[in-house]
Amino acid sequence: MAIIHELSPHLADLIAAGEVVERPASVAKELIENAIDAGATRITVEIENGGITYLRIADNGCGMSAEDAPVAFRRHATSKLRTEADLAAIGTLGFRGEALAAISSVTRIDLFTRQTGAIAGLHLHLEAGEIQVQEEAGCPEGTTMVVRDLFYNTPARMKFLKKDFTEAGYILGVVQHAALSHPEIAFTLIRDGKQVFTTDGKGKLIAPVFAVFGKEMTASMIEVPRTERNGMTVYGYIVKPHAGRPNRSMQHFFVNGRYVKSRLMQAALEEAYRNAIITGKYPSGAVFLELPLAAVDVNVHPAKTEVKFSQEKPVFEAVYVACKNAIMANDNMPHIEHKEKKPSAASPQESAPVYEQQRFAVAKPVAQPAASAKADDDVPDLEDFLVAVPPRAQKPRSFGMYAAAPRILQDETEPRLTGRVNVEDNRLFSQFDKPEKAPAAPTALSTAPQQAPERQQLEPLDTGARVIGECFNTYLIAEDKDGLILIDKHAAHERILFNKLRAETEMPQQELLTPVVVELTGEEAAAIQSQIEDIRKAGFAIDPFGENSFAVRSVPAYLDSGDVPGVISELAEKAMNSRATVPDRLDDLIHTVACKAAIKAGKTTSLTELQDLCDRVLGDDNVRSCPHGRPTMVRLTKYELDKLFKRVNQ
């Protein structure tokens, strides 16, 4: 008696449906992709009970003929592939010919379709994949698919579905991804009779970005202009570094118009924010990649949400460079805005101003600097909600794949900032080293004081900002023509030192008169020993000194000898918890050195030193955040101050 037998077509369809149809959102995704491939310019999605009992998708695409419509529900029936060669360059969202067969096998479907110019349309009713009704019908041009009672014939699958509200949220995500990837299509989502999402379909990417991310997040976004590199094009919108989120849920990646989950593009985006976004926060945005069809394989996942690139390094480089240049080309300083609750319509302050209000009121300015011209119908342009402060008109910076961070002073013939910290009071001294040969280092046992290198005072920078003072011995307060600036002096000085150390070809060192012996635990000692070469590159002369001890004979020039044990312990902790590549580990070491050497919060600083620090910070756009990602400064504009004190009408 034969044991192996061929499954029935219906059972095979049910098995295939388990791979393609996971939940109502899977049905919506496949049908929306079919509508996009059909050339639709308007797609409406309507759901009830999370799409489980009712899901309707209507489009104005090309429609289907009476001969093609029944064939479309057969397995492996498609109009998008002809030969094997077509698999090497798939340009459509759908191509396998499995979706409609899988969906119809576990639902009840009503199909209404009419081709452009046809007199009558066609109505099909299917249950469990079998056509029950086929007749002519009056219907609009395009295709309308009504899917009812998902998994009605496979009740075991029903228990894995979530609540209606949750399933509706998954469908909303599908519609949002489609709207972002095709801004030229007008999308509408109706949930339980209420419209919850819509786009205009005018072709501007900012419209679906605004609809998906919302007004507040869109206001913190910057545009990634179309950047061509390695035969690829990258563009999109990403948030400013200070607007990071605690998770990656708002990261959206698209390859040739298809939404994908790509760890490669995710890593490239987050690398572009390295040392600019606060630790534990993640960037958000929509990043689009266009590349030759033959360079990407989309047939590697049942849901087609994962792709494989023929060459990963050029893809990583293209995304990284485009996002990095967009971040560096914009003003990433957070701005403080005064948001006052508007009085109600019946409020006497708005309806009838009192005499004193009329007497001291100041006329509202005719045009605000950041406002853009409005259309005749007085509908605000969505681009008004992007970046509140326009990008600075400075020479563009181009970041290559392996380009080092920009130096504070690019000309090697000019003196460079050292920002040395006094051991006694931790104050910042504005001293600059000439690029001359350093004096010979004394021997380890030398007790004679070292001769200080020759120094030269650099002409102060003129940034137009005047330091008023500081508060809490932590925040520097300055003013310029635009308003007030608050600077975290420790974070700012830390970033200045980090940039300088990172740009050094050889880490400047100072030899200690007496070696410092650091005692560690067994695990810490093993971690330090495993990365001892990287620690030496960071400016430490360190050697094993006993079982779990290390002798430190020289340290980076900005570090005090009293901080050596704490720094080595911190480096050991990072070494135990880090599996990053060598350049990343070296960055972590420089982080630690810069943090320990920077001027400390809570310490009194003279006005001269504060002014010098302010000028150095405002004169370098690469000091907008500390190496850990915290902002170094915020701005309170004069206009916001005037609003706080009611000096202008609002």
Side-chain angles (χ1 to χ4, degrees), residues 171-207:
I171 294 178
L172 174 61
V174 169
V175 177
Q176 289 177 338
H177 294 152
L180 286 171
S181 60
H182 294 83
E184 73 282 0
I185 301 177
F187 286 88
T188 302
L189 174 61
I190 302 172
R191 183 179 68 199
D192 297 328
K194 181 180 179 181
Q195 180 175 298
V196 295
F197 180 84
T198 183
T199 59
D200 57 14
K202 294 182 179 179
K204 288 188 176 182
L205 181 58
I206 183 58

Side-chain angles (χ1 to χ4, degrees), residues 446-485:
S446 173
T447 57
Q450 302 181 30
Q451 183 179 359
E454 183 180 354
R455 303 188 182 278
Q456 175 182 341
Q457 190 74 19
L458 188 69
E459 290 296 327
L461 297 175
D462 184 12
T463 59
R466 181 178 68 89
V467 172
I468 302 173
E470 63 177 336
C471 59
F472 311 116
N473 287 333
T474 301
Y475 302 106
L476 181 156
I477 307 175
E479 67 169 348
D480 61 7
K481 60 182 180 61
D482 297 322
L484 286 180
I485 304 171

Side-chain angles (χ1 to χ4, degrees), residues 372-444:
S372 58
K374 300 293 187 295
D376 293 338
D377 55 359
D378 200 27
V379 177
D381 192 348
L382 288 176
E383 295 182 2
D384 292 349
F385 299 101
L386 274 178
V387 183
V389 178
R392 294 187 176 186
Q394 296 181 347
K395 60 181 182 180
R397 302 183 180 188
S398 180
F399 284 81
M401 180 61 181
Y402 303 103
R407 295 174 180 263
I408 295 177
L409 297 174
Q410 298 291 346
D411 189 355
E412 291 297 334
T413 62
E414 296 183 5
R416 296 181 293 180
L417 172 65
T418 63
R420 182 178 295 277
V421 176
N422 186 292
V423 176
E424 297 179 357
D425 60 4
N426 286 328
R427 294 186 181 181
L428 172 67
F429 289 88
S430 305
Q431 297 170 335
F432 301 85
D433 288 335
K434 284 186 175 181
E436 296 181 0
K437 184 177 180 181
T443 61

Side-chain angles (χ1 to χ4, degrees), residues 579-605:
R579 297 181 180 178
T581 58
V582 172
D584 295 338
R585 289 203 303 263
L586 191 57
D587 264 6
D588 287 339
L589 300 180
I590 297 176
H591 279 181
T592 304
V593 173
C595 182
K596 296 297 183 181
I599 185 172
K600 301 298 187 294
K603 298 294 183 179
T604 304
T605 309

